[in-house]
Amino acid sequence: MKKIISTFVLGMALIATATAQNADKTWWQTWIGSEKWAEVFEPAFSHWNVGVNLGTTGIGVDVATPLTEHVRARAGFSFVPKFDYTMKFGVEVRNKDGVVLESSKFAKMAELLEQLTGTEVDQSVTMVGQPHMWNAKLLFDVYPFPNKHWHVTAGFYAGQSLIARAVNAIEDAPSLVAISMYNKMYMKSMNGEPLISYNGQDIYQLDLQNRLLEYGRMGVNLGTDKNGLPIIIEPDKRDMVVVNVKTNAFKPYLGFGYTGSPFRDESYQIGFDAGILFWGGKPSVLTTATMSTPTVSTDEWGNDIYSYDTYSIDLARDADKVEGKPGDYVKLLKAFVVYPVLEFRISKEF
């Protein structure tokens, strides 16, 4: 009897010890150590799928592998090939009060510039736009149905924030250089400075400087801002005109898709993905604008000093109207609060 009681007490003590040890574990630690964990993740990395993509995110490649029986991971890279799209902006002439002068003034100014620089200046500037969009991606496909053809997908794309850029056409570079030179001479004339200072000598050309003041200042008119003021851009320090289109670099993705094999060799598959990239709302269309009227300050002798301040402007948010074909592009970009994704994929399973 004593042996039976002793055996019972020993058994209860062992059970109590085991129970106490399990109580120290969380539910997921217990589950990870179970056969269920091994069963769920048995397919993980059991095979690999290499694919080529073509769609709204460009041309890409990716590699996929199962994590569980119903979850697959995909990682890859895509880029949009560069192509050109052109647009034109008109060049205007304004006096120091911001008033647009008649086209005959531009003709006289262009004639003067040709005499000074030997360059014929056009009354329009051609801009050439190119896409600059590329992304790495990490996606997770969940297959809710037994046939494992349809899937829902979540993940992200990550790349640079610059997705497109427009710069002046090469053939307009001489005109922009001439415009930049002209505006610098115009500023010197406004402030009563010599056109050239060299080796301690100041050279004035009063007749020429008076003609410059009469003709006005040159710039490219993009449209008007929300305050009704003109948006004027001028050649930058590199004598270029540049417009950048930007979004968030990190872009969450949600979508769905289908994968199947119409081939005799089922290791070859085709499919599609459709969804949306959340890239931070409508893209920013950024450029540097110049005030249409000068800022006036006073030097130590009480003379007025004129300068034209520059500022960064987002044409998608700060502009009320952008003229011509560029305005059509800005309207199109503003419509893409999210970016639609439609990709077709062909792959091989190994």
Side-chain angles (χ1 to χ4, degrees):
M1 185 69 175
K2 289 182 179 179
K3 289 184 178 180
I4 295 174
I5 293 173
S6 298
T7 302
F8 176 76
V9 171
L10 180 61
M12 293 300 293
L14 291 173
I15 292 172
T17 301
T19 303
Q21 290 175 347
N22 285 336
D24 292 336
K25 294 183 178 181
T26 61
W27 67 269
W28 59 268
Q29 287 174 321
T30 304
W31 187 68
I32 287 175
S34 69
E35 293 182 0
K36 184 65 175 175
W37 171 269
E39 180 184 340
V40 169
F41 286 95
E42 182 180 1
F45 309 107
S46 59
H47 58 268
W48 297 86
N49 189 289
V50 179
V52 178
N53 311 294
L54 178 64
T56 56
T57 57
I59 301 170
V61 295
D62 62 24
V63 178
T65 187
L67 298 180
T68 72
E69 188 178 356
H70 295 283
V71 180
R72 180 178 74 165
R74 274 190 289 157
F77 178 85
S78 62
F79 71 98
V80 177
K82 290 186 178 181
F83 58 90
D84 294 344
Y85 51 95
T86 60
M87 60 200 92
K88 285 185 177 290
F89 298 96
V91 178
E92 288 186 346
V93 183
R94 294 174 181 269
N95 62 20
K96 69 178 182 178
D97 297 319
V99 177
V100 179
L101 303 179
E102 63 270 17
S103 58
S104 60
K105 291 287 186 183
F106 178 88
K108 292 180 180 179
M109 186 185 303
E111 182 181 354
L112 177 61
L113 273 173
E114 189 172 358
Q115 292 173 1
L116 293 172
T117 66
T119 299
E120 184 177 342
V121 180
D122 294 329
Q123 198 165 358
S124 65
V125 173
T126 300
M127 301 284 287
V128 180
Q130 287 186 337
H132 285 256
M133 187 173 176
W134 61 263
N135 288 286
K137 65 182 179 182
L138 179 61
L139 307 175
F140 296 93
D141 301 322
V142 178
Y143 294 86
F145 305 116
N147 63 18
K148 298 180 185 176
H149 290 312
W150 290 95
H151 60 263
V152 292
T153 304
F156 66 87
Y157 285 62
Q160 63 179 4
S161 59
L162 179 70
I163 64 167
R165 169 174 288 167
V167 298
N168 56 274
I170 294 176
E171 58 267 23
D172 282 331
S175 292
L176 292 175
V177 171
I179 290 172
S180 183
M181 292 175 58
Y182 174 90
N183 284 340
K184 288 176 183 177
M185 291 189 293
Y186 178 77
M187 284 303 305
K188 287 178 178 290
S189 301
M190 284 186 71
N191 291 318
E193 299 175 1
L195 284 182
I196 300 173
S197 294
Y198 177 73
N199 200 23
Q201 302 245 344
D202 293 336
I203 301 174
Y204 290 86
Q205 291 286 337
L206 295 181
D207 179 61
L208 172 60
Q209 290 178 281
N210 287 332
R211 288 169 65 190
L212 292 172
L213 292 175
E214 178 188 352
Y215 292 161
R217 185 179 178 91
M218 300 181 78
V220 177
N221 184 9
L222 294 184
T224 55
D225 64 18
K226 291 185 176 179
N227 297 316
L229 298 175
I231 302 171
I232 305 297
I233 59 174
E234 297 178 358
D236 61 17
K237 292 181 179 180
R238 299 170 299 168
D239 296 321
M240 296 177 65
V241 175
V242 180
V243 179
N244 291 320
V245 182
K246 293 187 175 184
T247 65
N248 288 349
F250 181 82
K251 312 168 189 70
Y253 172 81
L254 284 175
F256 68 94
Y258 178 89
T259 302
S261 179
F263 308 107
R264 180 175 299 177
D265 183 353
E266 293 189 355
S267 65
Y268 290 95
Q269 298 175 335
I270 60 173
F272 77 91
D273 282 281
I276 49 177
L277 281 177
F278 299 90
W279 61 2
K282 58 188 174 185
S284 298
V285 184
L286 303 170
T287 191
T288 300
T290 302
M291 298 295 294
S292 59
T293 55
T295 299
V296 184
S297 59
T298 305
D299 64 15
E300 56 185 320
W301 295 285
N303 298 317
D304 289 339
I305 302 298
Y306 297 93
S307 62
Y308 282 84
D309 296 331
T310 60
Y311 61 99
S312 179
I313 186 170
D314 184 347
L315 300 178
R317 291 171 172 82
D318 303 327
D320 179 59
K321 183 179 181 182
V322 180
E323 302 290 346
K325 193 173 180 180
D328 295 336
Y329 286 121
V330 172
K331 288 178 183 176
L332 179 64
L333 289 168
K334 288 169 67 174
F336 285 100
V337 179
V338 295
Y339 187 73
V341 174
L342 180 61
E343 288 185 342
F344 295 93
R345 184 174 186 267
I346 182 167
S347 61
K348 166 71 173 174
E349 191 172 286
F350 297 93

